[in-house]
């Protein structure tokens, strides 16, 4: 699940198919932290009302979304495709990405996985060189729609020990 939230350099699968050239987003180099917000009520909307409380309880006790900590260097910013592939290096999924827009201020794409059963749209904007915001919408076939918002914030020009 963490792979969906890998935000910096934009959540992409290992089979990048880009008709649009990937352009690095306008962002400072250094230490970044990304937080994630999930629309739990939206996820539960397709589940019968009598089951929602039980599922909400299970999700609350098991869904601890970590703050993602990353060090963005000149090399990683230059080679976005390699960074995107690295973010999914352990994923065992069969996904394709269609990049629809890539500028220094905005990235848009559609990620389709498992023969079209899961479709994810990704829209990332560079609010400033120290703040990126993404809206990720996933349609998981018969399981409903998931809406995820991520906010990446630049923290410092130097990265703490142990943060890659």
């Amino acid at each position: 699940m963490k792979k969906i939230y890998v935000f910096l350099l934009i959540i992409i699968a290992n089979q990048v198919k880009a008709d649009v050239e990937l352009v690095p987003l306008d962002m400072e180099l250094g230490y970044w932290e990304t937080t994630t917000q999930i629309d739990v009520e939206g996820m539960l909307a397709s589940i019968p009302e009598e089951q929602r409380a039980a599922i909400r309880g299970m999700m609350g006790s098991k869904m601890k979304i970590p703050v993602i900590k990353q060090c963005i260097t000149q090399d990683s910013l230059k080679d976005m495709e390699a960074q995107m592939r690295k973010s999914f290096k352990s994923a065992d999924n069969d996904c394709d990405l269609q990049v629809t827009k890539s500028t220094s201020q905005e990235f848009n794409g559609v990620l389709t996985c498992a023969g079209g059963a899961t479709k994810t749209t990704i829209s990332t904007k560079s609010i400033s060189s120290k703040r990126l915001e993404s809206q990720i919408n996933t349609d998981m076939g018969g399981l409903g729609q998931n809406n995820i918002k991520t906010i990446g914030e630049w923290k410092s020009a130097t990265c703490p020990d142990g943060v890659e």
Side-chain angles (χ1 to χ4, degrees):
M1 188 165 169
K2 177 181 174 186
K3 298 300 179 198
I4 290 176
Y5 308 123
V6 175
F7 164 79
L8 294 175
L9 304 177
I10 327 307
I11 307 167
I12 308 300
N14 51 0
Q15 295 293 324
V16 175
K17 292 184 179 176
D19 292 334
V20 176
E21 181 181 340
L22 293 175
V23 176
L25 290 168
D26 176 24
M27 57 192 296
E28 295 286 329
L29 300 179
Y31 177 56
W32 283 76
E33 289 186 356
T34 302
T35 56
T36 302
Q37 303 165 352
I38 299 175
D39 178 12
V40 174
E41 293 306 314
M43 282 177 30
L44 297 175
S46 64
I47 295 172
E49 192 170 331
E50 57 275 1
Q51 297 174 1
R52 289 182 195 166
I55 293 173
R56 194 178 292 115
M58 288 188 315
M59 289 174 67
S61 65
K62 294 182 181 180
M63 276 184 67
K64 303 288 188 242
I65 302 170
V67 173
I68 297 168
K69 300 174 182 184
Q70 280 189 295
C71 187
I72 303 300
T73 65
Q74 187 64 46
D75 289 339
S76 64
L77 191 60
K78 270 194 233 179
D79 196 355
M80 283 180 70
E81 184 174 341
Q83 285 298 110
M84 290 183 268
R85 289 177 187 273
K86 182 180 175 185
S87 72
F88 278 85
K89 69 181 174 187
S90 63
D92 57 350
N93 55 15
D94 181 21
C95 299
D96 292 314
L97 174 72
Q98 179 67 44
V99 178
T100 57
K101 183 175 186 177
S102 182
T103 69
S104 63
Q105 299 301 309
E106 186 173 359
F107 173 89
N108 293 317
V110 178
L111 183 66
T112 306
C113 299
T118 302
K119 182 178 178 182
T120 302
T121 59
I122 304 160
S123 177
T124 300
K125 293 187 179 185
S126 177
I127 305 304
S128 72
S129 64
K130 295 181 179 182
R131 183 179 176 95
L132 303 177
E133 294 183 6
S134 287
Q135 186 64 46
I136 302 151
N137 299 303
T138 302
D139 184 354
M140 301 182 70
L143 300 176
Q145 185 84 16
N146 295 319
N147 298 310
I148 302 164
K149 181 178 182 178
T150 63
I151 299 170
E153 294 181 298
W154 180 85
K155 297 297 182 180
S156 72
T158 57
C159 297
D161 290 339
V163 176
E164 295 181 28

